Amino acid sequence: MELLLSGLMTLIEPLKYGFMQRSLMEAVIVGVICAVVGSYLMVQRLALLGDAISHSVLPGLAIAFILGINIFVGAFIAGLLSTVFINIIRTRSPIKEDAAMGIVYSAFFALGITLITIVQKDNKIDLNHFLFGNILGVSFADVRDTFIIAVIVLIIVAAFYKELLFYTFDKLGAQAAGLPVKKLDFGLMILIGLTIVASLKAVGVILVLSLLITPAATAYLLVSRLHLMMILGVILAILSSITGMYLSYFYNLPSGPAIVLVASGLFILAFLFGPKYGVLYPHSA
């Protein structure tokens, strides 16, 4: 009984602090939308696209700061512009999609780093936390904004689930059936952009791809249907987020990387011991 009470007090202790309450809420919200949107990226084998958009938001952050507008609006616009450029290069030249992504995201990322360096010369503000995340510094307004973005993303996914499902698994069939494939393509880009913008404060540009892909990839090894993959991915993302935050609190670790490491650890367990694809699981012949 004493051991149980001690464990309960340990779990409750971080919740006494406002910054931990806000951080946990932010981590859970981000985990949910990353797992849902990441499921589409995983099934369509578009992980590199998530990487491209996440790196491409940096110049938008810096330009928005210079102009004195909301930096998340700038990040979102930059992310959409990067997808437009990728599509232009892909459709109007013989260059393949993966090469187009590499060209655009490296250019946007380099421009973003350059602009951030210029901004920091004249302003005492640290924009580098957008690279690595600063979830312990989130305000109530940040949590509110992330929640609003999450609601928008989840409503769009719920409203167009059947269309996105058809489009995800059979793009040519969806086109033949009369679905607006180009609009669905663009809509998915918007969902990815919104999710990345919502995740910036929590895990940063560099780690956001892991939270987008890893819980969904873990679920992909364990279940075979998209809606089950989303549900399990959300559970794994929430578990990773909460566990990572507690590890960060008790062992003085950086929060964003701690969340990602927990998610990666769960993936390794599924990869090794998953009942369907586990490397070390005793499959029947």
Side-chain angles (χ1 to χ4, degrees):
M1 188 66 178
E2 289 183 7
L3 187 62
L4 181 62
L5 287 174
S6 175
L8 187 60
M9 292 303 295
T10 300
L11 288 175
I12 293 174
E13 181 186 335
L15 300 179
K16 295 186 295 185
Y17 303 100
F19 75 92
M20 279 299 293
Q21 295 171 10
R22 293 189 298 272
S23 300
L24 282 166
M25 286 189 287
E26 179 82 2
V28 168
I29 295 169
V30 166
V32 169
I33 57 173
C34 280
V36 170
V37 175
S39 296
Y40 288 113
L41 290 178
M42 186 66 211
V43 172
Q44 292 193 42
R45 298 189 172 109
L46 289 176
L48 184 58
L49 179 61
D51 193 30
I53 297 176
S54 65
H55 283 74
S56 299
V57 302
L58 273 185
L61 290 169
I63 292 171
F65 178 80
I66 293 169
L67 297 177
I69 62 177
N70 190 305
I71 57 177
F72 294 110
V73 173
F76 180 65
I77 293 172
L80 287 184
L81 280 176
S82 71
T83 64
V84 170
F85 288 138
I86 288 169
N87 282 324
I88 290 173
I89 294 172
R90 179 177 61 87
T91 57
R92 300 191 182 184
S93 76
I95 294 174
K96 300 292 185 181
E97 189 172 37
D98 57 345
M101 290 178 191
I103 292 167
V104 171
Y105 99 66
S106 58
F108 270 61
F109 190 62
L111 176 61
I113 295 294
T114 303
L115 289 174
I116 285 175
T117 303
I118 293 171
V119 167
Q120 289 177 330
K121 286 180 180 178
D122 302 317
N123 299 274
K124 293 182 178 179
I125 183 169
D126 183 16
L127 294 179
N128 286 328
H129 62 262
F130 287 110
L131 290 175
F132 306 105
N134 184 30
I135 195 169
L136 294 179
V138 297
S139 63
F140 177 76
D142 292 326
V143 177
R144 179 201 62 207
D145 292 344
T146 304
F147 180 75
I148 291 171
I149 293 173
V151 169
I152 293 170
V153 169
L154 294 176
I155 287 174
I156 292 172
V157 170
F160 297 98
Y161 179 78
K162 289 182 180 178
E163 291 83 355
L164 286 170
L165 179 65
F166 192 2
Y167 154 84
T168 295
F169 287 99
D170 187 1
K171 188 176 288 189
L172 290 176
Q175 191 169 14
L179 289 179
V181 171
K182 289 185 178 179
K183 289 182 180 179
L184 289 173
D185 253 332
F186 188 66
L188 184 59
M189 300 308 108
I190 290 176
L191 290 178
I192 297 168
L194 285 171
T195 302
I196 288 169
V197 167
S199 308
L200 283 176
K201 210 63 187 291
V203 292
V205 165
I206 292 176
L207 298 177
V208 69
L209 182 67
S210 177
L211 210 54
L212 262 174
I213 298 300
T214 308
T218 306
Y220 187 77
L221 293 176
L222 300 173
V223 295
S224 56
R225 304 188 68 178
L226 182 62
H227 71 281
L228 294 177
M229 184 176 163
M230 285 183 176
I231 293 169
L232 182 57
V234 164
I235 293 170
L236 293 170
I238 291 174
L239 178 62
S240 301
S241 298
I242 294 175
T243 305
M245 288 303 302
Y246 271 85
L247 289 173
S248 170
Y249 176 83
F250 286 110
Y251 296 99
N252 195 28
L253 301 173
S255 304
I259 292 171
V260 170
L261 286 174
V262 174
S264 300
L266 293 175
F267 172 79
I268 291 171
L269 288 176
F271 177 73
L272 293 177
F273 304 108
K276 191 173 182 181
Y277 299 109
V279 174
L280 300 181
Y281 190 83
H283 299 285
S284 58

